[in-house]
Amino acid sequence: MPTEVGTTAAVIAGVILLASLIFGLMPWIWDREPKPEIPEVFIDTFTLGPHAAPLHPYSVEEAHWAMQDHLDCYGTACRARAAAVTVLRETGRMVPAGDDR
């Protein structure tokens, strides 16, 4: 008799767990909203992190700050530093000495 009660309790618990899974979790999975798409403007920033090219051209002051922030980066590998170098060269604030670092 005690084994029948234990078996019955286990079966009832299993049925309750299965029912809660089917009627509780499955509709939630099916009705979930799709993840919003990331606009293409932000993809470069998200994929490359702090070394991504800026979303807008740097001002001269921002270019100076970017050069300080990316002091150890190379202009060929860091898009933020490359954009800052471009702005500073175009405005005459930086004259390259041959090293693009």
Side-chain angles (χ1 to χ4, degrees):
M1 179 102 168
T3 57
E4 292 174 358
V5 172
T7 304
T8 305
V11 168
I12 291 173
V15 168
I16 291 172
L17 179 65
L18 185 62
S20 65
L21 181 69
I22 290 172
F23 296 111
L25 186 62
M26 295 305 286
W28 176 77
I29 291 173
W30 288 326
D31 291 338
R32 280 193 313 183
E33 292 289 325
K35 290 183 179 179
E37 291 187 23
I38 299 172
E40 287 186 28
V41 175
F42 299 113
I43 289 176
D44 193 32
T45 304
F46 290 146
T47 56
L48 298 177
H51 301 281
L55 299 177
H56 60 86
Y58 286 133
S59 66
V60 174
E61 184 179 347
E62 289 173 332
H64 282 293
W65 281 106
M67 291 292 285
Q68 291 298 315
D69 286 341
H70 298 274
L71 193 60
D72 295 328
C73 298
Y74 288 94
T76 55
C78 178
R79 292 181 180 179
R81 183 173 176 98
V85 167
T86 300
V87 169
L88 293 175
R89 284 182 182 174
E90 288 175 353
T91 58
R93 301 289 181 108
M94 177 180 178
V95 178
D99 182 19
D100 281 343
R101 183 177 168 163

